[in-house]
Amino acid sequence: MRDRIIKLLSEIDNLKANNPEEYEALRIKYLSKKGVISSLMSEFRDVPSEQKKEIGQKLNHLKTAFQERISELKKELESSSVQTTDFDLSRTSYPIPLGTRHPISLVKEEICDIFNRLGFSIADGPEIEDDWHVFSSLNFAEDHPARDMQDTFFIQSNPEIVLRTHTSSVQTRVMETTQPPIRITCPGRVFRNEDISARAHCLFHQVEGLYIDKDVSFVDLKQALLYFTKEFFGSETQIRLRPSYFPFTEPSAEMDISCQICGGDGCNICKHTGWVEIMGCGMVDPAVLDNCGIDSKIYSGYAFGMGVERIAMLKYQINDIRLFFENDVNFLHQFQSAF
Ligand code: PHE
């Protein structure tokens, strides 16, 4: 038995497995229940007792030596099989196509960021609103055309409930629950019953702003809007305020910026005027403040509101509002990556 053990030990270094089948054959030959080592083990009981100690040790040594060698063969086989596949581990990986932020989100956030630097925080509110918050509290007369079915989406079973047509409803909600100073921007989706065309959509986004405190004047409004314009469109850009009308502001104005495309010389975008309208604004009507529980004898404020699609169309020179809603990846991938 001693000789057989010595012979087997001398075979160990020559064991080779070139493929999994050869490895398996070796494993079965030496280590399985009916393998060489097992049968030596079962013969061990016939070894004369004075040799048992010595042979026992040798046998144990033989068994572990084979176990180690055969598991070594397995490892060799595994690592060589990786090298023989088609992988080139040193090759740089394919770039994974990442998503991009939607241009409306980018512009909306940029607008809010600029006003944030002036101390405006963001306020949110429901898209499905009641008549009071969208219209009545804001001084819309009962027969104002905005309440018309043509302009507003009503909930059929309850005409008091509407899809908000502007985010001024959020301003009302904040005024009802907060005492001045109030300085908020209200970004969000709004809905109007418009025919869809290159210039208009029934769903779009607004950022409105509201500032209420003691002694707020039109000068503050104009300066805030000038700051916003120069930050967003560049320091060369000029603004112009034209008198206008909104039920909830008095006086009211529309703000134009000098045309980004022609620099004021006149082109198709500015209809050859050199100016492009970007938002409505004005001093909050004292009646609105009183409607919302803010004392108009103590406080005054300004408000403004702009359409995000319109601003994005000017910034990126996009000529069809429908592109924002079609989710064509060729369009969307042109804007800044999210990562
Ligand atoms: N709410 C107006 C609109 O949707 C915009 C606006 C806001 C005008 C605040 C003046 C002041 O058109």
Side-chain angles (χ1 to χ4, degrees):
M1 184 151 199
R2 187 184 297 114
D3 294 344
R4 276 158 65 202
I5 293 176
I6 292 168
K7 186 168 176 292
L8 279 168
L9 275 173
S10 72
E11 285 174 16
I12 279 195
D13 287 339
N14 299 329
L15 295 183
K16 275 208 174 58
N18 294 316
N19 51 48
E21 292 75 35
E22 285 181 20
Y23 160 79
E24 190 57 12
L26 286 178
R27 193 189 64 78
I28 291 171
K29 180 174 174 196
Y30 291 103
L31 296 180
S32 69
K33 272 198 186 134
K34 291 183 179 159
V36 176
I37 310 252
S38 277
S39 60
L40 279 179
M41 290 286 191
S42 47
E43 285 171 37
F44 180 69
R45 65 181 115 84
D46 304 328
V47 170
S49 53
E50 69 276 7
Q51 290 178 20
K52 268 210 156 78
K53 188 173 176 214
E54 185 214 339
I55 299 287
Q57 279 173 352
K58 286 204 158 55
L59 207 49
N60 278 334
H61 171 68
L62 180 76
K63 189 178 173 190
T64 38
F66 266 94
Q67 281 170 339
E68 278 169 15
R69 177 64 189 142
I70 283 180
S71 74
E72 222 173 81
L73 287 177
K74 188 174 187 187
K75 277 190 202 135
E76 278 170 21
L77 208 59
E78 280 167 358
S79 62
S80 70
S81 72
V82 171
Q83 279 156 19
T84 56
T85 62
D86 289 339
F87 298 130
D88 172 0
L89 296 177
S90 63
R91 189 183 184 289
T92 48
S93 60
Y94 288 106
I96 300 164
L98 298 175
T100 51
R101 305 287 312 279
H102 194 282
I104 293 301
S105 301
L106 291 173
V107 169
K108 190 175 67 182
E109 275 168 32
E110 192 179 344
I111 296 169
C112 290
D113 272 359
I114 294 172
F115 282 104
N116 185 254
R117 280 176 239 147
L118 293 176
F120 286 73
S121 54
I122 291 175
D124 201 6
E127 293 177 351
I128 303 171
E129 260 294 6
D130 52 39
D131 178 278
W132 168 256
H133 290 99
V134 180
F135 296 127
S136 298
S137 64
L138 292 163
N139 253 358
F140 280 81
E142 276 303 317
D143 55 357
H144 192 282
R147 292 175 184 246
D148 198 298
M149 290 295 234
Q150 306 301 317
D151 283 334
T152 305
F153 288 111
F154 290 88
I155 304 297
Q156 221 163 28
S157 57
N158 182 356
E160 284 295 302
I161 308 291
V162 301
L163 295 186
R164 67 181 180 195
T165 56
H166 53 185
T167 57
S168 304
S169 52
V170 181
Q171 305 185 348
T172 307
R173 284 185 177 275
V174 171
M175 285 190 279
E176 282 175 340
T177 52
T178 323
Q179 279 302 303
I182 294 172
R183 217 180 318 200
I184 50 165
T185 47
C186 312
R189 292 199 294 185
V190 298
F191 309 86
R192 290 184 196 176
N193 193 0
E194 306 243 14
D195 286 340
I196 297 171
S197 70
R199 299 181 64 84
H201 211 285
C202 58
L203 155 69
F204 61 99
H205 298 75
Q206 280 190 329
V207 176
E208 297 215 350
L210 175 72
Y211 176 32
I212 300 173
D213 205 343
K214 290 176 181 152
D215 301 324
V216 177
S217 77
F218 205 92
V219 174
D220 300 311
L221 169 63
K222 196 174 161 186
Q223 199 54 40
L225 297 186
L226 181 65
Y227 173 77
F228 162 72
T229 304
K230 290 189 180 290
E231 287 290 296
F232 190 90
F233 289 104
S235 58
E236 302 301 306
T237 317
Q238 294 180 333
I239 64 168
R240 165 174 102 166
L241 290 162
R242 278 180 293 104
S244 184
Y245 173 77
F246 297 101
F248 37 89
T249 45
E250 183 60 37
S252 305
E254 266 166 11
M255 191 183 91
D256 300 339
I257 59 167
S258 50
C259 180
Q260 299 298 293
I261 313 293
C262 63
D265 295 340
C267 69
N268 281 344
I269 302 291
C270 62
K271 299 193 194 101
H272 300 281
T273 62
W275 296 95
V276 185
E277 188 231 307
I278 64 160
M279 69 171 100
C281 60
M283 301 307 292
V284 181
D285 193 309
V288 172
L289 295 178
D290 292 332
N291 280 344
C292 300
I294 292 175
D295 190 342
S296 61
K297 289 187 206 67
I298 305 177
Y299 295 108
S300 56
Y302 66 68
F304 57 86
M306 62 192 108
V308 179
E309 279 76 2
R310 186 167 176 73
I311 306 270
M313 286 167 87
L314 289 171
K315 179 180 170 100
Y316 298 118
Q317 301 182 12
I318 294 164
N319 58 11
D320 193 326
I321 195 171
R322 290 169 292 197
L323 289 166
F324 292 120
F325 302 98
E326 280 166 6
N327 284 337
D328 178 342
V329 285
N330 290 325
F331 172 74
L332 295 176
H333 272 148
Q334 297 175 76
F335 305 94
Q336 175 206 320
S337 163
F339 306 99

